[in-house]
């Protein structure tokens, strides 16, 4: 399982190798780029990424892919897994990586059978990954499910953006909330929920 997360990180790096200047013009000859706000949007693997991951057995269809633009002023990205406890979000785990480039790719996988979370972030020449980590013990008669960010979200500095929300509850099925709604309104999760987790991306203005 640990190997699969490493392979996915390697596959993501394929699409970020050609992001430099092109056409033979120097930086001094090019107009200054427009100001850019941080953003994250749902995406998919390129053909090269998919083939590389599939060839090495990483099961790319199980991963959710996001494109990240760090924007102006972002010094680091922070990925945080939150656990809802007593109606309050508490940090379960966190990773921080300096911005080695303007664009990045994030791959997230949740196995709701365990339930187990893993992710791989490739950002310029750097990156970070979370090896398969069990979020909770699944009880008999408990159902699990997850939702992921759809479309594109702009982000302010130092404000976490929820990209995944996973929850377990008593019974064969339960209501699933979109990540941004569930993260902003933890009071939505009543007593039938046994475990709730969120994954956020934060565009940090300091290292």
């Amino acid at each position: 399982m640990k190997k699969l997360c490493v392979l996915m990180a390697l596959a993501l790096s394929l699409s970020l190798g050609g992001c430099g200047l092109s056409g033979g013009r120097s930086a001094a000859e090019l107009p200054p780029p427009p100001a850019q706000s941080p953003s994250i949007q749902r995406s998919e693997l390129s053909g090269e990424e998919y083939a590389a991951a599939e060839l090495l057995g990483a099961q790319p269809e199980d991963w959710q892919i996001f494109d990240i633009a760090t924007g102006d002023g972002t010094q680091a990205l922070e990925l945080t897994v939150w656990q809802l406890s007593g109606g309050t979000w508490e940090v379960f785990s966190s990773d921080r990586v300096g911005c080695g480039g303007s664009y990045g790719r994030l791959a997230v996988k949740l196995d709701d059978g365990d339930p187990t979370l893993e992710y791989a972030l490739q950002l310029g020449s750097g990156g970070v990954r979370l090896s398969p980590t069990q979020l909770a013990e699944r009880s008999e008669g408990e159902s699990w499910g997850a939702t992921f960010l759809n479309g594109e979200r702009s982000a302010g500095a130092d404000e976490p953006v929820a990209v995944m929300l996973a929850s377990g509850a008593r019974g064969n099925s339960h209501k699933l909330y979109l990540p941004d709604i569930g993260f902003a309104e933890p009071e939505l999760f009543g007593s039938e929920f046994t475990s709730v987790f969120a994954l956020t991306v934060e565009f940090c203005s300091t290292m």
Side-chain angles (χ1 to χ4, degrees):
M1 294 294 290
K2 181 178 180 180
K3 179 181 178 182
L4 297 185
C5 196
V6 175
L7 296 178
M8 182 56 67
L10 291 173
L12 291 179
S13 69
L14 291 175
S15 64
L16 299 175
C19 297
L21 300 174
S22 60
R25 299 175 66 187
S26 69
E29 296 175 301
L30 295 173
Q36 184 183 52
S37 299
S39 66
I40 181 169
Q41 65 177 342
R42 191 77 169 267
S43 186
E44 59 185 22
L45 291 175
S46 67
E48 281 186 316
E49 291 169 328
Y50 194 98
E54 191 174 47
L55 180 65
L56 297 171
Q59 298 176 311
E61 66 276 3
D62 294 338
W63 294 77
Q64 308 298 320
I65 308 299
F66 302 91
D67 287 337
I68 292 174
T70 60
D72 297 331
T74 300
Q75 300 297 312
L77 284 184
E78 187 164 87
L79 280 74
T80 304
V81 181
W82 303 85
Q83 182 176 17
L84 191 61
S85 178
T88 302
W89 292 109
E90 297 182 353
V91 175
F92 181 81
S93 68
S94 182
D95 284 307
R96 193 180 182 100
V97 60
C99 286
S102 300
Y103 299 95
R105 300 269 271 168
L106 172 65
V108 182
K109 178 183 176 183
L110 178 79
D111 182 349
D112 56 14
D114 288 333
T116 300
L117 175 68
E118 55 186 306
Y119 58 69
L121 170 67
Q122 185 69 32
L123 185 62
S125 59
V128 67
R129 62 182 179 83
L130 176 71
S131 297
T133 300
Q134 188 166 14
L135 300 178
E137 294 285 345
R138 183 166 186 162
S139 303
E140 186 176 353
E142 185 181 57
S143 62
W144 273 82
T147 57
F148 295 86
L149 178 147
N150 266 321
E152 182 177 6
R153 294 285 189 280
S154 295
D158 306 308
E159 295 179 1
V161 177
V163 298
M164 184 212 73
L165 191 71
S167 55
R170 300 177 184 88
N172 295 326
S173 62
H174 64 278
K175 188 170 184 178
L176 297 174
Y177 294 98
L178 294 175
D180 51 351
I181 294 174
F183 188 70
E185 303 179 49
E187 65 274 10
L188 292 171
F189 300 97
S191 58
E192 72 274 17
F193 288 88
T194 56
S195 298
V196 184
F197 292 85
L199 173 64
T200 63
V201 176
E202 185 172 341
F203 298 84
C204 305
S205 59
T206 61
M207 281 297 295

